[in-house]
């Protein structure tokens, strides 16, 4: 995804469409197992689930509880009711035997809130068991979503402080030390998204800062490729990114990718160039409405204000086996208004963008104030 007035997606799209096939052909001619070339497994396609798993916590019982309910979506498609019942029973067992272990990771000041959440999750799981027994798919979907939302809130209560220090060389860029919720009002409808500063603090911080400055208000989408990508953030005039009014300089962002298992992001290098193409990022491109920073193909550190929504298409970028992960910074996901994304076209606009939660987590250096 290039930034620029006249750049197009066709070359990159064509590469995506042919890249997997090409890699498979090359692997056969070289005698390499093709399955080792790309990450595998059941990729998560729900942006909110990805955000839950991305929280920097270490509590095995709450993850067991979450896993059991996340797994239900895999079985619902095939109406595998016995498997769904097993998942619900696993969740009930965790709640019955491991509540004390879950609460151990919650700070004292939030213990009462956490206990209330656990009680509410228990009620939801009990209701889920009844709906599963009745094989009521719509109700199972509703109750599962409600339970997982509460689990996400419980997991967020376990996070204490920001888990690492961003390299000093990026201290001139605003940093988001946590998460923020952004409300976009567009010409086709409303969109909400959550940006994740735990996994991409520099990129998310820059975005929240620009939203607060009103940078995206009345700005037009510059390109919309059906079933692929929707991009915005190119300001009027010759510049392709944000020019800081105080320094009069282009605010350039580093490529920022948190790899699963790492304690902090990598900066300035793609996962492929780092020799980590078999690994997976914490925030992948496997969800419709992934929000990522655009940049020049030639410069991993050339992003600024232009970003894009990824319109996930399984046939083009199979979940867990796409060729975008680790090459662009994903910094959030659309959590409501996904249907609006498919309606937006070039020249439609973001009429207004507002931070509705998490603005207090934005840290701005003395050079920026």
């Amino acid at each position: 995804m290039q930034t620029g007035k006249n750049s197009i997606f066709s070359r990159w799209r064509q590469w995506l469409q042919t890249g997997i096939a090409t890699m498979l052909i090359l692997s056969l001619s070289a005698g390499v197992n093709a399955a080792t070339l790309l990450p595998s497994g059941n990729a998560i396609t729900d942006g909110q689930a990805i955000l839950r798993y991305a929280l920097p916590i270490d509590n095995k019982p709450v993850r067991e509880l979450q896993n059991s309910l996340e797994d239900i979506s895999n079985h619902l498609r095939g109406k595998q009711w016995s498997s769904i019942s097993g998942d619900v029973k696993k969740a009930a067992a965790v709640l019955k035997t491991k509540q004390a272990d879950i609460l151990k990771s919650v700070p004292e000041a939030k213990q009462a809130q956490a206990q209330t959440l656990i009680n509410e999750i228990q009620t939801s799981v009990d209701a889920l068991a009844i709906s599963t027994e009745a094989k009521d798919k719509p109700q199972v979907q509703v109750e599962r979503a409600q339970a997982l939302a509460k689990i996400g809130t419980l997991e967020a209560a376990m996070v204490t402080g920001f888990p690492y220090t961003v390299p000093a060389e990026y201290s001139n860029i605003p940093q988001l030390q946590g998460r923020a919720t952004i409300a976009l009002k567009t010409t086709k409808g409303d969109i909400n998204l959550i940006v994740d500063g735990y996994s991409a603090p520099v990129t998310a911080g820059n975005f929240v800062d620009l939203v607060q400055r009103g940078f995206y208000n009345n700005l037009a989408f510059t390109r919309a490729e059906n079933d692929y990508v929707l991009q915005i953030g190119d300001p009027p005039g010759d510049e392709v990114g944000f020019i800081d009014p105080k320094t009069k300089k282009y605010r350039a962002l580093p490529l920022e990718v948190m790899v699963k298992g790492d304690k902090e992001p990598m900066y300035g290098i793609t996962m492929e160039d780092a020799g980590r193409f078999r690994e997976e990022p914490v925030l992948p491109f496997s969800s419709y409405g992934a929000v990522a920073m655009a940049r020049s193909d030639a410069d991993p550190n050339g992003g600024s204000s232009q970003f894009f929504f990824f319109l996930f298409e399984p046939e083009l970028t199979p979940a867990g086996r796409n060729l975008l992960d680790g090459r662009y910074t994903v910094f959030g996901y659309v959590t409501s208004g996904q249907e609006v994304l498919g309606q937006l076209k070039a020249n439609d606009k973001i009429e207004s963008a507002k931070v509705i939660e998490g603005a207090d987590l934005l840290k701005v250096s003395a050079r920026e104030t």
Side-chain angles (χ1 to χ4, degrees), residues 241-312:
F242 174 66
I243 304 299
D244 190 303
K246 292 190 176 180
T247 64
K248 310 299 181 185
K249 294 181 179 180
Y250 180 90
R251 182 193 282 173
L253 303 179
L255 178 63
E256 184 177 37
V257 180
M258 177 80 85
V259 180
K260 285 184 179 179
D262 287 359
K263 299 298 184 182
E264 57 189 60
M266 298 191 309
Y267 289 93
I269 187 171
T270 66
M271 288 176 62
E272 181 181 22
D273 288 343
R276 306 185 69 178
F277 54 88
R278 297 183 186 180
E279 299 180 64
E280 299 177 55
V282 171
L283 303 181
F285 277 100
S286 59
S287 177
Y288 185 94
V291 186
M293 186 56 58
R295 64 172 178 83
S296 164
D297 287 347
D299 185 3
N301 300 319
S304 182
S305 61
Q306 294 193 49
F307 70 97
F308 61 95
F309 297 100
F310 187 60
L311 309 183
F312 173 68

Side-chain angles (χ1 to χ4, degrees), residues 128-141:
L128 192 53
I130 295 171
S131 299
T132 299
E133 181 67 24
K135 298 182 179 179
D136 186 341
K137 183 176 178 179
Q139 194 61 28
V140 167
Q141 290 173 320

Side-chain angles (χ1 to χ4, degrees), residues 67-319:
N67 291 345
S68 62
L69 298 186
E70 301 281 12
D71 190 51
I72 289 174
S73 66
N74 296 323
H75 303 308
L76 269 177
R77 287 189 289 272
K79 297 182 180 180
Q80 298 170 325
W81 292 107
S82 61
S83 297
I84 294 170
S85 179
D87 285 331
V88 175
K89 288 176 181 177
K90 288 177 186 176
V94 172
L95 289 166
K96 182 178 180 179
T97 63
K98 299 182 179 180
Q99 284 194 29
D101 292 329
I102 290 174
L103 288 168
K104 284 179 182 178
S105 295
V106 180
E108 183 64 32
K110 297 181 179 179
Q111 285 278 320
Q113 175 199 7
Q115 185 61 65
T116 298
L117 284 167
I118 289 174
N119 295 341
E120 292 174 351
I121 294 165
Q122 180 69 70
T123 300
S124 294
V125 170
D126 290 343
L128 192 53
I130 295 171
S131 299
T132 299
E133 181 67 24
K135 298 182 179 179
D136 186 341
K137 183 176 178 179
Q139 194 61 28
V140 167
Q141 290 173 320
V142 169
E143 289 163 353
R144 170 185 172 273
Q146 291 174 345
L148 282 168
K150 294 183 178 73
I151 290 170
T153 303
L154 176 61
E155 291 171 337
M158 296 178 178
V159 180
T160 56
F162 192 70
Y164 56 87
T165 300
V166 174
E169 62 193 286
Y170 307 122
S171 62
N172 62 309
I173 304 172
Q175 298 172 18
L176 185 67
Q177 298 188 355
R179 288 181 174 172
T181 302
I182 313 296
L184 303 179
K185 181 178 178 61
T186 79
T187 48
K188 293 293 176 60
D190 297 338
I191 298 169
N192 278 14
L193 56 105
I194 292 177
V195 293
D196 183 13
Y198 293 124
S199 301
V202 175
T203 312
N206 171 75
F207 181 73
V208 170
D209 177 62
L210 294 183
V211 168
Q212 290 187 318
R213 290 173 182 265
F215 180 89
Y216 296 107
N217 294 349
N218 297 311
L219 207 59
F221 289 91
T222 51
R223 52 182 62 89
E225 299 249 345
N226 292 336
D227 300 323
Y228 181 43
V229 72
L230 177 69
Q231 184 166 325
I232 194 168
D234 187 356
D238 295 333
E239 300 296 343
V240 296
F242 174 66
I243 304 299
D244 190 303
K246 292 190 176 180
T247 64
K248 310 299 181 185
K249 294 181 179 180
Y250 180 90
R251 182 193 282 173
L253 303 179
L255 178 63
E256 184 177 37
V257 180
M258 177 80 85
V259 180
K260 285 184 179 179
D262 287 359
K263 299 298 184 182
E264 57 189 60
M266 298 191 309
Y267 289 93
I269 187 171
T270 66
M271 288 176 62
E272 181 181 22
D273 288 343
R276 306 185 69 178
F277 54 88
R278 297 183 186 180
E279 299 180 64
E280 299 177 55
V282 171
L283 303 181
F285 277 100
S286 59
S287 177
Y288 185 94
V291 186
M293 186 56 58
R295 64 172 178 83
S296 164
D297 287 347
D299 185 3
N301 300 319
S304 182
S305 61
Q306 294 193 49
F307 70 97
F308 61 95
F309 297 100
F310 187 60
L311 309 183
F312 173 68
E313 180 187 4
E315 291 182 1
L316 180 61
T317 53

